[in-house]
Amino acid sequence: MTAEALGIERQQLVEALDELLSAERAGAQVASVSLDDATSEVQRSVLTQVHRGEADSCRRLRECLRLLGAEPGHERGAFYEKCMAIADLGERLALVDRGQKWVIRRLEALLEQVTHPQIRDELQAVLRTHEVNSDDYAAQADALR
């Protein structure tokens, strides 16, 4: 696909999507592993929601990469190690929320450039998921610590 069809250089978009996929994979694994550390129903609920959202985002990003004719990477972002180095689950969840906000900023920047309708739809869905997860975290932050 050409830059005209995408609104952005193909390789630049592939790299951005791969970076996001790596981060989403890390987030999904953090949420999954952290479920074992959950001590309250609110923690379990938030972690389950985050896991589902991250897994769905991975699927959507892989689909975008395939649409571009690119092979999705299999890397897990360094975010996983950063999160799992935090023993206190409340503090770990705060970092997960900062990760959600990082993804939101990256997606907003990409959406300013991407014009391909199907890719835009997928990125907007990933953005909505992260906005909902971050808003839910903020609404329950005290109970999550």
Side-chain angles (χ1 to χ4, degrees), residues 9-28:
E9 290 295 326
R10 179 188 171 280
Q11 189 56 37
Q12 183 182 355
L13 181 55
V14 167
E15 289 170 8
L17 294 173
D18 238 358
E19 178 185 40
L20 286 165
L21 177 57
S22 175
E24 294 299 299
R25 189 175 287 117

Side-chain angles (χ1 to χ4, degrees), residues 81-122:
E81 285 77 18
K82 288 179 185 178
C83 286
M84 297 314 295
I86 300 171
D88 180 83
L89 184 57
E91 291 177 26
R92 189 181 314 150
L93 286 169
L95 181 56
V96 167
D97 185 55
R98 288 194 299 276
Q100 297 280 317
K101 289 177 178 159
W102 178 87
V103 170
I104 289 168
R105 289 189 303 274
R106 292 288 290 142
L107 288 166
E108 288 172 341
L110 263 181
L111 284 164
E112 288 178 8
Q113 300 175 65
V114 175
T115 57
H116 188 280
Q118 187 176 351
I119 294 173
R120 280 190 63 78
D121 287 348
E122 296 295 347

Side-chain angles (χ1 to χ4, degrees), residues 21 24-25 28 53-63:
L21 177 57
E24 294 299 299
R25 189 175 287 117
E54 301 289 284
D56 183 63
S57 295
C58 285
R59 179 188 61 76
R60 291 176 182 280
L61 293 167
R62 282 192 307 270
E63 188 61 35

Side-chain angles (χ1 to χ4, degrees), residues 123-143:
L123 294 179
Q124 287 170 332
V126 173
L127 175 61
R128 280 191 302 278
T129 295
H130 285 75
E131 289 171 336
V132 166
N133 285 348
S134 187
D135 288 348
D136 287 353
Y137 173 84
Q140 302 178 78
D142 290 340

